Amino acid sequence: MSKKVAVIRREHFNAAHRLYNQQWTDEKNAATFGKCSLPHYHGHNYELEIKVVGEVDPVTGFVMDLKLLSDLVSEKVLERFDHKNLNIDTEEFKTLNPTAENIAIVIHDLLRPHIDASLGLYIRLFETPRNFVEYPA
Amino acid sequence: MSKKVAVIRREHFNAAHRLYNQQWTDEKNAATFGKCSLPHYHGHNYELEIKVVGEVDPVTGFVMDLKLLSDLVSEKVLERFDHKNLNIDTEEFKTLNPTAENIAIVIHDLLRPHIDASLGLYIRLFETPRNFVEYPA
Amino acid sequence: MSKKVAVIRREHFNAAHRLYNQQWTDEKNAATFGKCSLPHYHGHNYELEIKVVGEVDPVTGFVMDLKLLSDLVSEKVLERFDHKNLNIDTEEFKTLNPTAENIAIVIHDLLRPHIDASLGLYIRLFETPRNFVEYPA
Amino acid sequence: MSKKVAVIRREHFNAAHRLYNQQWTDEKNAATFGKCSLPHYHGHNYELEIKVVGEVDPVTGFVMDLKLLSDLVSEKVLERFDHKNLNIDTEEFKTLNPTAENIAIVIHDLLRPHIDASLGLYIRLFETPRNFVEYPA
Amino acid sequence: MSKKVAVIRREHFNAAHRLYNQQWTDEKNAATFGKCSLPHYHGHNYELEIKVVGEVDPVTGFVMDLKLLSDLVSEKVLERFDHKNLNIDTEEFKTLNPTAENIAIVIHDLLRPHIDASLGLYIRLFETPRNFVEYPA
Amino acid sequence: MSKKVAVIRREHFNAAHRLYNQQWTDEKNAATFGKCSLPHYHGHNYELEIKVVGEVDPVTGFVMDLKLLSDLVSEKVLERFDHKNLNIDTEEFKTLNPTAENIAIVIHDLLRPHIDASLGLYIRLFETPRNFVEYPA
């Protein structure tokens, strides 16, 4: 019988953002997003958990080498977002509102092609210690 | 294709309680619940996570505004339980034993009518950093 | 030259309390202490750090064996306060208001006679993760 | 309607290990596992979460008494692994590579016979605060 | 004999910043501050601890009411910096480089006039969980 | 007036050790150090805080660049101890008992020559989340 195990690696990055719907007036953005929409940005220490689910390789005892997963996340995610302004400096959020929900989906989609298709992939993203999201739920 | 995302807000409250089954003698309560049943109460810093699951609104980028969720939890849960004696001061636990399991179910049922029916609702409650519960599991 | 090192042990206990000055009316207590003075108590997961400072014994490499310190704290502090109502169940806080400041001083004074006089003793007490005290400062 | 609740207890143990496949040469082990395979072992503060899922007993308000669960984990897991060298001192990892994945599976299988068959059992094991696993996933 | 106790309140705010010395060329800023000087800002979840040291008032059992301290920090610090761009939106960092060291000094100096002169005041500021500062040291 | 600020960097390493005084019999070691002296080693996730105290450079706004401090700690401490067996693999603990106290002193003395003499240097070492030491105290 196969035994599914999840392995999780935690990484972090620091970025600036503001919540902003480009289709809306500034007034409607302020009314909807409050101080999260202030014009000159604020920022977060994002804590990122990447979970990979699959069977344990009987030879290595690994689902996936977490060192390789960490290197992959550095290359595909951290180099792109760390110490950046998500709204200005990234292609992904030039028009997409950088809510935690959307950031998690984008990170998932950046990593998905590089993880073996037999493995499940799940993202948890902490915007603050008290506000976080999971995708897919 | 719809994309389900979970958003989680963490809150906290401080309360006193004792474990006690009113149908039992004091001796049986002490034998079953040990020092958790001592007559003059003890207390906890409860940490409460409220998870809401649904599709991301393409206009806001939110599953649910966590500020609104936080306000809702303050109104429906924290004002009711924070700095209270659960056994004495609350209607919910006048006869129901305030175990972490029961507190989580009660909190779920207090919030459920106020969260859109299309959204999933899940509660995690930490009684201590080493003892916690999740409902529904 | 002697080398002073601090060794710290972290313990925890759960207790109920209310802030209350017995010389005052209920109204004045409520005005001063707010919901911390509600009559039926609330409670906390107290996290307690005990720091002992001294020279390293060249034979053991210890300032003080933290296992012995942990046992001492269990005997002198935790058995006295864990799962208790500080206002009702303890001699120490029958008349003394159980603020975090006073609890830290009481814990210090309970332990001081049992720690070698050549060693410094310092208490840090977390009432919540965001409110804590240190004695002596 | 039955209400499934999960109760979780967090425990910890300290152990030494090295990653090593006995079928391989030392060179292949070093190439695969890097510094995790260094010959004289390294170690971790393992944090262990045991989740038990079931219906709440209406008499006690418990899914399972976490004190009994903690005692069971101490007897079956902590006494076996705490302050041990997993590769040398344990039967379980004499030939099985002590990756976090394999340790989680072994802990699950040690506990499973002692938890009521009507209850679900899930293990989360932190090897470090940034590397952890879950079984079954 | 007087007994000095420290009381500490932990608060948090989210802000954007970049490290930048206005006297320098962009090249020198980049060479000195690396990615912390990227032009479009990044950000942090700042965790802020405010320590007040003094004697315990024998009537209240408080060094200082932490509720009042929390309100003061909200009014003087959080309203000024939370969800702001420190370089653009604040008077304090229009010319002063917003390093953690300088932010801690500025926060101290904003609060000092509002804390009784008999009390000591100390600031600890976490820029990330792994980088933090204390002032005065 | 000069303003002293402390800057702190947190790092971590994983290592195996056992407590052992080579002058003693195995029996005396076991009687003194208990399971910490078991012959085949155990291990820890050591968390290491390095605090540097000095005046803020008015040009950079830094006491010391934490990136440089982190690089220095990696080179002088982490490369030496990470994923090692302290008793076997290191010169420093071949005869010196690797208690947390002694490890902190050794780390201090490894770093001290490489930190400007005008700056204070302080080490905090967590052996577990509940046992830690500080040097100099």
Side-chain angles (χ1 to χ4, degrees):
Chain A
M1 190 202 70
S2 73
K3 295 181 172 178
K4 292 264 186 182
V5 177
V7 296
I8 298 102
R9 173 69 191 169
R10 190 168 180 140
E11 302 281 352
H12 64 104
F13 61 96
N14 307 316
H17 81 151
R18 66 181 293 212
L19 300 187
Y20 191 71
N21 181 327
Q22 298 184 327
Q23 318 277 320
W24 289 351
T25 61
D26 284 357
E27 288 70 24
K28 184 159 183 187
N29 272 290
T32 305
F33 298 122
K35 62 186 178 179
C36 296
S37 196
L38 283 172
H40 297 131
Y41 311 101
H42 61 282
H44 297 291
N45 304 328
Y46 289 96
E47 291 279 329
L48 171 63
E49 289 181 3
I50 308 95
K51 187 199 303 201
V52 172
V53 178
E55 293 177 32
V56 177
D57 180 328
V59 179
T60 60
F62 282 160
V63 169
M64 179 180 180
D65 185 338
L66 284 181
K67 178 71 173 60
L68 297 183
L69 180 59
S70 177
D71 291 346
L72 179 70
V73 175
S74 290
E75 181 193 341
K76 302 296 177 192
V77 179
L78 305 189
E79 288 187 12
R80 195 178 297 254
F81 296 149
D82 188 33
H83 282 76
K84 297 290 177 59
N85 183 310
L86 298 179
N87 303 70
I88 300 177
D89 295 327
T90 75
E91 287 307 311
E92 289 78 7
F93 301 105
K94 277 223 158 47
T95 58
L96 183 66
N97 195 5
T99 59
E101 290 92 327
N102 282 336
I103 301 172
I105 293 172
V106 163
I107 289 173
H108 176 275
D109 293 350
L110 286 169
L111 291 171
R112 184 66 270 185
H114 306 284
I115 306 278
D116 192 285
S118 68
L119 300 171
L121 175 65
Y122 300 86
I123 303 298
R124 179 184 283 163
L125 181 72
F126 290 79
E127 193 173 84
T128 73
R130 295 197 172 272
N131 288 354
F132 58 105
V133 302
E134 298 171 345
Y135 174 75
Chain B
M1 189 202 71
S2 73
K3 294 182 171 178
K4 291 265 188 182
V5 178
V7 297
I8 299 100
R9 173 68 192 170
R10 189 166 180 144
E11 303 282 351
H12 64 103
F13 61 95
N14 307 315
H17 79 152
R18 66 180 293 212
L19 300 187
Y20 191 71
N21 181 327
Q22 297 184 327
Q23 317 277 320
W24 289 351
T25 62
D26 284 356
E27 288 70 23
K28 185 159 185 188
N29 273 291
T32 305
F33 297 122
K35 61 185 177 181
C36 296
S37 195
L38 284 172
H40 297 132
Y41 312 100
H42 60 284
H44 297 291
N45 303 329
Y46 290 96
E47 291 279 331
L48 171 63
E49 290 180 4
I50 307 97
K51 186 198 306 201
V52 172
V53 178
E55 294 178 32
V56 176
D57 180 328
V59 178
T60 61
F62 282 160
V63 169
M64 180 180 178
D65 184 339
L66 285 181
K67 178 68 172 63
L68 297 184
L69 180 58
S70 177
D71 290 346
L72 180 70
V73 175
S74 289
E75 181 193 341
K76 301 297 178 192
V77 179
L78 305 189
E79 289 187 13
R80 197 178 296 255
F81 296 150
D82 187 34
H83 281 76
K84 298 290 176 60
N85 183 309
L86 298 179
N87 304 68
I88 300 177
D89 295 327
T90 75
E91 286 306 311
E92 289 78 8
F93 300 106
K94 278 222 155 50
T95 59
L96 183 66
N97 195 4
T99 60
E101 290 91 326
N102 281 336
I103 301 172
I105 294 171
V106 163
I107 289 173
H108 176 275
D109 293 351
L110 285 168
L111 291 172
R112 183 66 270 184
H114 305 284
I115 306 278
D116 191 285
S118 69
L119 301 171
L121 175 65
Y122 300 85
I123 302 299
R124 180 184 282 161
L125 182 72
F126 290 79
E127 193 173 84
T128 74
R130 295 197 171 273
N131 287 355
F132 57 105
V133 302
E134 297 171 346
Y135 173 75
Chain C
M1 190 201 69
S2 72
K3 295 180 170 178
K4 290 266 187 182
V5 177
V7 297
I8 298 99
R9 173 69 192 169
R10 189 167 180 142
E11 302 282 352
H12 63 104
F13 61 96
N14 307 316
H17 81 152
R18 66 181 293 212
L19 300 188
Y20 192 71
N21 182 326
Q22 298 184 326
Q23 317 278 320
W24 289 352
T25 61
D26 284 357
E27 289 71 22
K28 184 159 184 186
N29 272 289
T32 305
F33 297 122
K35 62 186 177 180
C36 296
S37 196
L38 284 172
H40 297 132
Y41 313 100
H42 60 283
H44 297 290
N45 302 329
Y46 289 96
E47 290 280 330
L48 171 63
E49 290 181 4
I50 307 97
K51 186 198 305 200
V52 172
V53 179
E55 295 178 31
V56 177
D57 180 328
V59 178
T60 60
F62 282 160
V63 169
M64 179 178 180
D65 185 339
L66 284 181
K67 178 69 172 62
L68 297 184
L69 180 59
S70 177
D71 291 345
L72 180 69
V73 174
S74 290
E75 181 192 343
K76 301 297 178 191
V77 179
L78 304 188
E79 289 188 12
R80 195 178 298 253
F81 296 149
D82 188 33
H83 282 75
K84 298 291 177 59
N85 183 310
L86 298 179
N87 303 70
I88 300 177
D89 295 327
T90 74
E91 287 306 311
E92 289 78 7
F93 300 105
K94 277 222 157 50
T95 59
L96 183 67
N97 195 6
T99 60
E101 291 91 325
N102 282 337
I103 301 172
I105 293 171
V106 162
I107 289 173
H108 175 276
D109 293 350
L110 285 169
L111 291 172
R112 184 64 270 186
H114 305 283
I115 305 279
D116 191 287
S118 68
L119 300 171
L121 175 64
Y122 300 86
I123 302 299
R124 178 184 282 162
L125 181 72
F126 290 79
E127 193 172 84
T128 74
R130 295 196 173 273
N131 288 354
F132 57 105
V133 302
E134 298 172 345
Y135 173 74
Chain D
M1 191 201 70
S2 73
K3 295 183 172 176
K4 290 265 186 180
V5 177
V7 297
I8 298 101
R9 174 67 192 169
R10 190 167 181 143
E11 302 282 352
H12 63 104
F13 60 96
N14 308 315
H17 81 151
R18 65 179 295 212
L19 299 188
Y20 191 71
N21 181 327
Q22 296 184 329
Q23 317 277 322
W24 289 351
T25 62
D26 284 356
E27 288 70 22
K28 184 158 185 187
N29 273 290
T32 305
F33 298 122
K35 61 186 176 179
C36 296
S37 196
L38 284 172
H40 297 131
Y41 312 99
H42 61 281
H44 296 292
N45 304 330
Y46 290 96
E47 290 279 330
L48 170 64
E49 289 181 5
I50 307 96
K51 187 200 303 202
V52 172
V53 178
E55 293 178 32
V56 177
D57 180 327
V59 178
T60 61
F62 282 160
V63 169
M64 179 180 180
D65 183 339
L66 285 181
K67 178 69 174 62
L68 296 184
L69 180 59
S70 176
D71 291 346
L72 180 70
V73 175
S74 289
E75 181 193 341
K76 301 298 177 190
V77 180
L78 305 188
E79 288 187 14
R80 196 178 297 254
F81 296 150
D82 187 34
H83 283 75
K84 297 291 176 60
N85 183 310
L86 298 179
N87 304 69
I88 300 176
D89 295 327
T90 74
E91 286 307 311
E92 289 79 7
F93 301 105
K94 278 225 155 48
T95 58
L96 182 66
N97 196 5
T99 60
E101 290 91 327
N102 282 336
I103 301 172
I105 294 171
V106 162
I107 288 173
H108 175 275
D109 293 350
L110 285 169
L111 291 172
R112 185 65 270 185
H114 305 285
I115 306 277
D116 191 286
S118 68
L119 301 171
L121 175 65
Y122 300 85
I123 303 297
R124 179 184 283 161
L125 181 72
F126 290 79
E127 193 173 85
T128 73
R130 296 198 171 272
N131 288 355
F132 56 106
V133 302
E134 297 171 346
Y135 174 75
Chain E
M1 191 200 70
S2 72
K3 294 182 172 179
K4 291 266 188 182
V5 177
V7 297
I8 298 101
R9 174 69 192 168
R10 189 167 180 143
E11 302 281 351
H12 63 104
F13 61 97
N14 307 315
H17 81 151
R18 67 180 294 212
L19 300 187
Y20 191 70
N21 180 328
Q22 298 184 326
Q23 317 277 321
W24 290 352
T25 62
D26 284 357
E27 289 70 22
K28 184 158 183 186
N29 272 290
T32 305
F33 297 123
K35 62 186 177 179
C36 296
S37 195
L38 284 173
H40 297 131
Y41 312 100
H42 60 282
H44 297 289
N45 302 330
Y46 290 97
E47 290 280 330
L48 171 63
E49 290 181 5
I50 307 97
K51 186 199 304 201
V52 172
V53 179
E55 293 178 33
V56 177
D57 180 327
V59 178
T60 60
F62 282 161
V63 169
M64 180 180 179
D65 184 339
L66 284 181
K67 178 68 173 61
L68 295 184
L69 180 59
S70 178
D71 291 345
L72 180 69
V73 174
S74 290
E75 180 193 343
K76 301 298 178 190
V77 179
L78 304 189
E79 289 187 11
R80 195 178 298 252
F81 296 150
D82 188 33
H83 282 75
K84 298 291 176 60
N85 183 309
L86 298 179
N87 303 70
I88 299 177
D89 295 327
T90 74
E91 287 306 311
E92 289 78 8
F93 300 106
K94 278 222 156 51
T95 58
L96 183 66
N97 195 6
T99 59
E101 290 92 326
N102 281 337
I103 301 172
I105 294 172
V106 162
I107 289 173
H108 176 275
D109 293 350
L110 285 169
L111 291 172
R112 184 65 270 186
H114 306 283
I115 305 278
D116 191 284
S118 68
L119 300 171
L121 175 65
Y122 300 86
I123 303 298
R124 179 184 283 162
L125 182 72
F126 291 79
E127 193 173 83
T128 74
R130 295 198 173 273
N131 288 354
F132 56 104
V133 301
E134 297 171 345
Y135 173 75
Chain F
M1 191 201 70
S2 71
K3 294 181 171 177
K4 292 266 188 182
V5 177
V7 296
I8 297 100
R9 174 69 192 167
R10 189 167 179 142
E11 303 281 352
H12 64 104
F13 61 96
N14 307 316
H17 80 152
R18 67 180 293 214
L19 299 187
Y20 191 70
N21 181 328
Q22 298 184 327
Q23 317 278 322
W24 289 351
T25 62
D26 285 357
E27 289 71 22
K28 184 159 184 186
N29 272 290
T32 306
F33 298 122
K35 61 186 176 178
C36 296
S37 196
L38 284 172
H40 297 132
Y41 312 101
H42 61 283
H44 298 290
N45 302 330
Y46 289 97
E47 291 279 331
L48 171 63
E49 290 181 4
I50 308 96
K51 186 198 306 200
V52 172
V53 179
E55 295 177 30
V56 177
D57 180 327
V59 178
T60 60
F62 282 161
V63 169
M64 180 178 180
D65 184 340
L66 284 181
K67 178 68 173 62
L68 296 184
L69 180 59
S70 177
D71 291 345
L72 179 70
V73 174
S74 289
E75 181 194 341
K76 301 297 177 191
V77 179
L78 305 188
E79 288 187 14
R80 196 178 296 255
F81 296 148
D82 188 33
H83 282 75
K84 299 290 176 60
N85 183 310
L86 298 179
N87 303 69
I88 299 177
D89 296 327
T90 75
E91 286 306 311
E92 290 78 7
F93 300 105
K94 278 224 156 47
T95 58
L96 182 67
N97 196 5
T99 58
E101 290 92 326
N102 281 336
I103 300 172
I105 294 171
V106 163
I107 289 174
H108 176 275
D109 293 351
L110 285 168
L111 291 172
R112 183 67 269 185
H114 306 284
I115 305 278
D116 191 285
S118 68
L119 300 171
L121 176 65
Y122 300 86
I123 303 299
R124 178 185 283 162
L125 181 72
F126 290 78
E127 193 173 85
T128 74
R130 296 198 172 273
N131 287 354
F132 56 106
V133 302
E134 298 171 344
Y135 173 76

